[in-house]
Amino acid sequence: MNSVATFLVGVAIFVGILGIVVPVLPGALLSLAAILIWALEVQSATGWTVLAAAVVLIGASQVVKYIVPERRLRESGVPRRSMFVGVVLGIVGFFLIPVVGMFVGFPIGVYVSERQRIGNHDEAWTSTKHALRATGLSVLIEFIGTSLAAAVWLVAVLFLV
């Protein structure tokens, strides 16, 4: 694979990692697709090993990013309904206020749902903070898994291929 194509794969991986933090693109999937294209082009044992490692790292992060925050939310008493309302308002906010609307709509949705359910501002706000922490943890887990896959790819490109 020539250096321009390798650079473009690296850019795609980087854009994928940015897509995890700013949810405009399917971040982890984009990074994995770029590594897949690279492995198909390289056609070597190193390429297939890097692809396998990326699938394991990104796949594991996709599973863990749902299990760990969900468990923490259950322990803190935030119901799924409130998270659902938060996600719906986050999506609506994304279209009303591009890019940052999701970050505005999600907490408002969780807070409104919890305020309606509980009826108390302090407890609703506490639940909202738990939901925000769980969401941040989910993003962090996906970010770490995809960054590790990107690091494996980078080591292979710089030292092995």
Side-chain angles (χ1 to χ4, degrees), residues 51-134:
L51 178 62
V55 167
V56 168
L57 289 166
I58 292 173
S61 73
Q62 294 301 304
V63 171
V64 172
K65 82 174 193 173
Y66 290 110
I67 293 173
V68 172
E70 170 72 20
R71 186 183 48 182
R72 288 190 176 190
L73 284 172
R74 269 196 324 258
E75 290 170 358
S76 65
V78 179
R80 286 188 177 130
R81 180 185 80 109
S82 295
M83 292 299 290
F84 178 76
V85 171
V87 168
V88 169
L89 282 182
I91 292 169
V92 169
F94 178 79
F95 289 106
L96 292 177
I97 311 168
V99 181
V100 297
M102 180 173 270
F103 301 110
V104 173
F106 177 76
I108 290 173
V110 173
Y111 176 79
V112 166
S113 179
E114 285 297 280
R115 181 71 190 254
Q116 184 272 327
R117 181 178 74 91
I118 299 170
N120 178 337
H121 165 73
D122 291 335
E123 291 180 39
W125 182 241
T126 300
S127 293
T128 303
K129 289 189 288 186
H130 284 299
L132 288 171
R133 279 189 212 109

